[in-house]
Amino acid sequence: MVKSKLQLGLTAGIVLGVLVVDQLIKIAVKTTMCLHEHIRIADWFYIYFTENNGMAFGWQFFDKIFLTLFRLIAVVLIFIFVRKSIKRGANTGFIVCLAMIIAGAAGNIIDCLFYGQIFSESTPYEVAQFVPFGTGYQELFYGRVVDMFYFPLFEFDWPSWMPVVANEHFIFFSPIFNFADSSISVGVVLLLLFYRNSLNKHFNEK
């Protein structure tokens, strides 16, 4: 019982912590930078303000409303899974990974649900401002996710003798992402690396 309460508290703390950090960074970027403005931290690290309608790292496969609803349903299902896992005596590290995934997904859900309602449009020439709720740049559920972390670790031009990609410019790592995306990615990677057996065990039991 004590362990369960501690794990529930830890889950709540991780979710709250990630949400606060994620939203503080996004609001700071959105209210101080023009769209596509960038700040060079190092040759391999930039703060580059962009927005996207899709999933993590700017990928987009489905309609916006579907993606937002999918995130909401996914967060609810994962939270239910966390509750059941805690009751079954799951490893604390396993719970932490799931909490990071929930937190990251919830962070991007906030953007989708509310940013279009509370912010004016971000453009390459104007910084967004807070506006009265409902008078923002887009309808409920259609807000855009704020991204800002850009790590072009190295880049080069493909040699002219290479087929298909000859003379094209290659950048690694090119996606622009946010703190919530990082939380999801770290949670998933740690889950697969260290808790794959726990995940399989819980699904098999179900």
Side-chain angles (χ1 to χ4, degrees), residues 67-77 109 113 141:
L67 289 173
T68 304
L69 290 173
F70 174 80
R71 287 191 181 105
L72 282 169
I73 294 170
V75 166
V76 171
L77 291 177
I109 285 172
L113 286 178
F141 281 91

Side-chain angles (χ1 to χ4, degrees), residues 5 20 34 39 67 84 115 188:
K5 290 183 177 179
V20 169
C34 293
I39 300 171
L67 289 173
K84 290 183 177 180
Y115 275 28
V188 170

Side-chain angles (χ1 to χ4, degrees), residues 8-203:
L8 280 173
L10 181 60
T11 299
I14 290 172
V15 172
L16 181 61
V18 170
L19 285 178
V20 169
V21 173
D22 178 61
Q23 290 302 311
L24 285 177
I25 294 172
K26 288 174 176 175
I27 291 171
V29 168
K30 191 163 179 64
T31 57
T32 60
M33 298 177 69
C34 293
L35 191 64
H36 304 313
E37 182 180 351
H38 63 272
I39 300 171
R40 178 183 175 275
I41 307 300
D43 288 339
W44 47 269
F45 176 35
Y46 291 78
I47 302 297
Y48 190 112
F49 173 33
T50 186
E51 295 179 310
N52 76 81
N53 290 318
M55 301 182 74
F57 303 107
W59 296 326
Q60 182 171 337
F61 304 104
F62 303 102
D63 180 72
K64 176 67 176 181
I65 187 69
F66 176 84
L67 289 173
T68 304
L69 290 173
F70 174 80
R71 287 191 181 105
L72 282 169
I73 294 170
V75 166
V76 171
L77 291 177
I78 297 173
F79 180 74
I80 292 172
F81 181 66
V82 168
R83 290 290 301 271
K84 290 183 177 180
S85 297
I86 289 174
K87 290 180 179 179
R88 293 170 181 166
N91 183 284
T92 299
F94 180 70
I95 299 301
V96 167
C97 293
L98 294 175
M100 293 178 68
I101 295 171
I102 292 174
N108 286 333
I109 285 172
I110 291 174
D111 297 29
C112 296
L113 286 178
F114 302 117
Y115 275 28
Q117 297 282 291
I118 64 174
F119 286 113
S120 61
E121 184 86 21
S122 292
T123 75
Y125 312 103
E126 294 183 0
V127 174
Q129 304 291 329
F130 279 106
V131 297
F133 190 88
T135 63
Y137 67 84
Q138 193 54 273
E139 300 174 6
L140 194 68
F141 281 91
Y142 284 89
R144 293 188 288 271
V145 176
V146 174
D147 291 326
M148 75 294 296
F149 297 135
Y150 177 44
F151 288 88
L153 299 179
F154 60 85
E155 53 188 293
F156 59 86
D157 292 320
W158 289 102
S160 58
W161 52 267
M162 288 285 291
V164 183
V165 295
N167 298 319
E168 289 190 10
H169 192 67
F170 174 80
I171 300 176
F172 182 90
F173 172 76
S174 61
I176 302 171
F177 58 98
N178 57 46
F179 190 77
D181 296 332
S182 301
S183 182
I184 295 171
S185 299
V186 171
V188 170
V189 170
L190 292 178
L191 199 63
L192 295 177
L193 285 178
F194 301 107
Y195 302 104
R196 193 184 314 174
N197 291 336
S198 297
L199 194 62
N200 291 333
K201 176 184 176 182
H202 283 274
F203 279 117

